[in-house]
Amino acid sequence: MTKQTTFTPSKQQQQLFDWVKNGTGSCILESVAGSGKTTTLLHAMEYMKGKIFYGAFNKRVCDELKEKVDVGVNVNISTMHSAGLSALKKQSRFAKVEMYKVNNIFRKLFERSDPVYKYQQQVVQLVSLAKSYGFGIFKEIEDEKNWLDLIIKHEVRCSNNPFNEDTKNIIKAAIECFDESNECSDDFIDFDDMIYLPLLKNIKPFQYDWVLIDEAQDSNAIRRELALRMLKPGGRMICVGDSNQAIYGFSGADSDSMQLFQDELQGTELSLTVSYRCPVDVVTYSQQWVPHINSHPTAIKGSVLDIPTHNMLQRLRISDVVLCHRNAPLLKTAYSLLINGTPARVEGREIGTTITNMANRFKAVKSFVDFINKITTATNKDIQDLRNEGKVTTADQLEDTLSCLLSIVDKIRNDGADSNHIGEAISKEVDKLFGDDVGDDVVKLTTIYKAKGREWPCVFWIKHKIDQHNYEDVRKLSYVAATRAKSELYVVID
C-alpha cells in the first residue's frame, strides 16, 4: 500500500502490526516526537482488511500522505473537516462555505448603537468554542452557565461575573448568534460547522472498518464524536498522538483527549518511544520534560547550546528557523535581521490581522505621539482588568500584541510614514512582515504552536518568559520547541 520499498519495523512497530493482524478492539498509540508515527500507521494499513479512513490533522499533511500511499477504493485519506463536510452534503447539498458567517450574523442582528456591538470579537469566539464543545449535542444551548464556563476556561475578554451587565449581554448575543447560525445552516456553513452540524443534525457519516486518527491529542469533543460515528459496528480504531504535545487547549482541544478516547474505547495501549528525528543531545535535553523519549541507536550526536540574543543574530542563516511562544520577540528578531540585510518573515497572517485590529481602535488619530499614548493607555487598562479577573494568559497575549504594534509604529515613524495615515502604514508594514506558507529563502520565524508537527535541521528557540503560570503548559511547550531540531538546537536566553 505504501510506495516505500524497504522497511524494517522496530520492536514497538511490530507490536502494533501484530495487534492489527491478531488483536481485537481499538488501540491508543502514544508516540513521542519524531517517532515515525505516520510511517508506522501507513505500514499498519497493509495488514488491515475492509474500508480504511485515515484522519489527517490538516490539508498539508493530507496531501503529503497521498504522495506516500497508493490510495485505492478502500482507503480515504482526509481531514476530519472534509469527512464531516461529506456527511453534511447528504442533507445540505447547496450550502455555501462562508468563513465569516458568524461575524456577518452578528452584524445583521445588532446595530452599532447596541451596547454589545463593541464585543463582536468575544461573541464570535464564544460561538466557535460552543460548537467545538458540542452545545446542542452534549450541553444545553440556553443554559447561561455553560457559556459562563467557556468565558472562564478560555479567558474570554469580559468579566467572569455572571451579574455583570456586559457579560450578560455578551452571553445573550452569543446564544442569539448561535441559534441563527444553526437556523441558516442549509444555506451557509463555516469551518466549525463542517464537523459540528453533521452531529447536531444526526446525519450518518460514511462508515469504515478501520478509523485511524492522527494527532489525536489535539481532538475536541465533536472531533472525537465524529470519529466514533464513522466506525462501522464491530469496526476498529487507532488513535495515535502524544499527550505531551497537547498544546491547543486555547482553541477548544482537550488536553486529556488521548485519555478521553481511551475512556470511550477501552482499547489496547501501545507506545512508540524512540525518536528517529532528534539527535542524541536533543533527546537527552528533552528528557527533562518527557523522561521516556529515547534516541535511535544510529542517531547523530547533534548539539544543544545556550546562546545570548546577539550571538543568535550572528549565527542565523537563510532557511534556519526561530521559535518562540510569543510573537513580540519574533518580530524584534525579524527587524534586527532585516536591518542587517538578512531576509526574514514571521509565519501567521492572522497574527498581523490581530495587530491591525488593535491599531484600528485609534486609526483616526493623526499624530504618532497621540497614537502611542492612546493605544498604550487603553490597552494597558484592558491588560490590568484581565489580570484582576485572573485571566493571565489572555493578558499576556494582549501585552504581546501591544508590544508588536509599538515595534511596528516605531519602525514606520523612523521610516518617515505620514502621520495622517498611520493605520494605512501599519497595514502595509504588517503585510510585509507576516504571511502564511513562508518559504525557505528567508529566515523563518514562527510560534511553537505553529511549529508542532514540523522539523528543521537547525532551530533557534527564544526562551522568552516561558517559566510562568501553568507548569504543564511550560513543560509541553518546551518539549515541542526542543524536539523540532534534527541536528542543532540553540536555546536563546532573551
Side-chain angles (χ1 to χ4, degrees):
M1 189 173 291
T2 62
K3 296 178 182 179
Q4 185 174 341
T5 54
T6 59
F7 175 74
T8 303
S10 69
K11 181 179 178 180
Q12 290 179 330
Q13 289 169 329
Q14 189 61 53
Q15 285 178 335
L16 176 68
F17 302 160
D18 290 342
W19 172 84
V20 171
K21 290 185 289 185
N22 306 316
T24 59
S26 296
C27 174
I28 307 298
L29 183 63
E30 278 280 358
S31 310
V32 300
S35 60
K37 60 183 175 63
T38 301
T39 299
T40 303
L41 280 185
L42 294 181
H43 282 281
M45 288 165 61
E46 297 174 5
Y47 304 102
M48 297 175 185
K49 297 178 181 179
K51 291 188 176 295
I52 304 168
F53 173 82
Y54 189 117
F57 189 67
N58 56 40
K59 188 178 183 302
R60 174 182 62 83
V61 174
C62 192
D63 292 340
E64 290 174 358
L65 287 173
K66 288 178 181 178
E67 290 293 319
K68 298 178 181 179
V69 179
D70 291 318
V71 179
V73 293
N74 288 331
V75 178
N76 179 14
I77 297 176
S78 165
T79 63
M80 294 302 293
H81 284 84
S82 180
L85 182 59
S86 294
L88 187 59
K89 284 185 175 179
K90 292 180 181 181
Q91 183 171 313
S92 304
R93 291 176 55 199
F94 302 107
K96 295 180 180 179
V97 177
E98 189 177 275
M99 288 296 98
Y100 298 101
K101 170 186 171 181
V102 180
N103 284 282
N104 294 336
I105 289 172
F106 180 92
R107 287 191 288 268
K108 183 181 78 171
L109 293 177
F110 302 102
E111 303 287 341
R112 288 187 176 274
S113 57
D114 290 326
V116 78
Y117 196 86
K118 63 182 178 180
Y119 294 111
Q120 177 179 340
Q121 179 184 346
Q122 286 87 333
V123 171
V124 172
Q125 180 187 2
L126 279 173
V127 171
S128 179
L129 287 169
K131 291 178 184 180
S132 74
Y133 278 83
F135 279 32
I137 305 165
F138 309 118
K139 296 176 181 288
E140 291 294 328
I141 297 171
E142 302 300 324
D143 188 342
E144 294 185 1
K145 183 180 182 302
N146 290 332
W147 295 90
L148 187 65
D149 288 344
L150 291 182
I151 288 172
I152 295 170
K153 181 173 182 179
H154 292 277
E155 299 192 2
V156 176
R157 287 179 59 187
C158 62
S159 173
N160 290 345
N161 184 349
F163 302 106
N164 179 279
E165 199 62 34
D166 286 337
T167 299
K168 288 163 66 176
N169 288 335
I170 289 169
I171 291 175
K172 182 182 177 182
I175 293 173
E176 287 185 52
C177 288
F178 193 87
D179 287 340
E180 179 62 24
S181 176
N182 289 341
E183 187 69 26
C184 71
S185 60
D186 285 338
D187 299 314
F188 300 102
I189 60 172
D190 61 15
F191 197 61
D192 296 324
D193 288 335
M194 293 177 187
I195 295 179
Y196 171 73
L197 287 175
L199 304 178
L200 180 70
K201 298 184 176 189
N202 205 24
I203 302 171
K204 186 177 181 179
F206 295 100
Q207 293 189 313
Y208 300 85
D209 300 284
W210 286 90
V211 173
L212 316 181
I213 303 299
D214 202 355
E215 302 291 354
Q217 79 279 348
D218 294 321
S219 297
N220 56 29
I222 58 173
R223 277 177 182 252
R224 287 192 302 276
E225 182 64 20
L226 180 60
L228 292 167
R229 293 191 190 187
M230 290 171 66
L231 266 183
K232 284 183 178 179
R236 302 172 70 184
M237 181 180 290
I238 300 178
C239 301
V240 59
D242 186 351
S243 296
N244 295 296
Q245 294 190 66
I247 59 173
Y248 290 150
F250 62 88
S251 66
D254 293 302
S255 60
D256 58 347
S257 182
M258 293 288 281
Q259 184 58 52
L260 291 171
F261 265 122
Q262 174 64 330
D263 292 345
E264 184 70 36
L265 296 167
Q266 295 298 301
T268 298
E269 296 183 356
L270 297 175
S271 61
L272 300 174
T273 60
V274 176
S275 178
Y276 295 88
R277 172 197 301 155
C278 299
V280 174
D281 283 4
V282 170
V283 168
T284 301
Y285 181 72
S286 301
Q287 285 172 339
Q288 62 184 297
W289 303 297
V290 178
H292 62 264
I293 187 173
N294 295 298
S295 56
H296 192 265
T298 63
I300 63 172
K301 185 177 185 300
S303 63
V304 179
L305 185 64
D306 290 347
I307 60 171
T309 300
H310 70 271
N311 198 311
M312 171 184 67
L313 296 173
Q314 294 169 359
R315 289 174 179 266
L316 273 168
R317 298 292 180 267
I318 289 175
S319 81
D320 287 345
V321 172
V322 182
L323 305 181
C324 187
H325 79 300
R326 292 287 181 231
N327 295 303
L330 296 176
L331 183 59
K332 180 181 176 182
T333 303
Y335 273 140
S336 296
L337 290 167
L338 291 167
I339 289 170
N340 292 332
T342 303
R345 206 154 191 233
V346 182
E347 271 195 336
R349 189 174 298 277
E350 78 285 352
I351 300 168
T353 301
T354 301
I355 294 168
T356 303
N357 288 342
M358 176 180 281
N360 285 341
R361 293 178 67 183
F362 297 100
K363 61 183 178 182
V365 176
K366 306 299 182 183
S367 157
F368 277 107
V369 172
D370 288 347
F371 179 88
I372 292 170
N373 286 339
K374 288 179 181 294
I375 200 74
T376 302
T377 300
T379 307
N380 280 336
K381 180 183 182 303
D382 293 341
I383 290 169
Q384 190 56 54
D385 289 345
L386 287 166
R387 295 199 187 283
N388 291 341
E389 285 275 350
K391 299 182 178 182
V392 179
T393 300
T394 302
D396 285 349
Q397 291 168 348
L398 192 59
E399 192 172 58
D400 183 50
T401 303
L402 176 62
S403 182
C404 288
L405 176 57
L406 294 178
S407 293
I408 290 171
V409 171
D410 189 51
K411 171 67 164 54
I412 63 174
R413 180 170 60 172
N414 290 338
D415 287 349
D418 184 353
S419 61
N420 289 315
H421 303 283
I422 295 174
E424 184 179 333
I426 290 171
S427 182
K428 288 181 179 178
E429 185 71 8
V430 161
D431 287 342
K432 287 193 298 184
L433 287 167
F434 297 89
D436 297 326
D437 300 320
V438 176
D440 294 328
D441 55 344
V442 297
V443 173
K444 186 180 301 183
L445 302 102
T446 188
T447 63
I448 299 171
Y449 304 99
K450 288 184 175 296
K452 197 165 78 66
R454 301 159 73 186
E455 59 187 27
W456 297 274
C458 185
V459 171
F460 291 79
W461 169 27
I462 302 176
K463 206 172 179 180
H464 173 76
K465 294 182 181 178
I466 199 167
D467 295 319
Q468 305 224 352
H469 317 319
N470 188 307
Y471 170 75
E472 270 299 286
D473 290 344
V474 171
R475 183 182 70 81
K476 291 177 179 179
L477 285 168
S478 300
Y479 170 60
V480 171
T483 53
R484 299 312 94 195
K486 296 170 63 178
S487 179
E488 301 167 81
L489 174 64
Y490 294 96
V491 182
V492 183
I493 310 303
D494 181 57

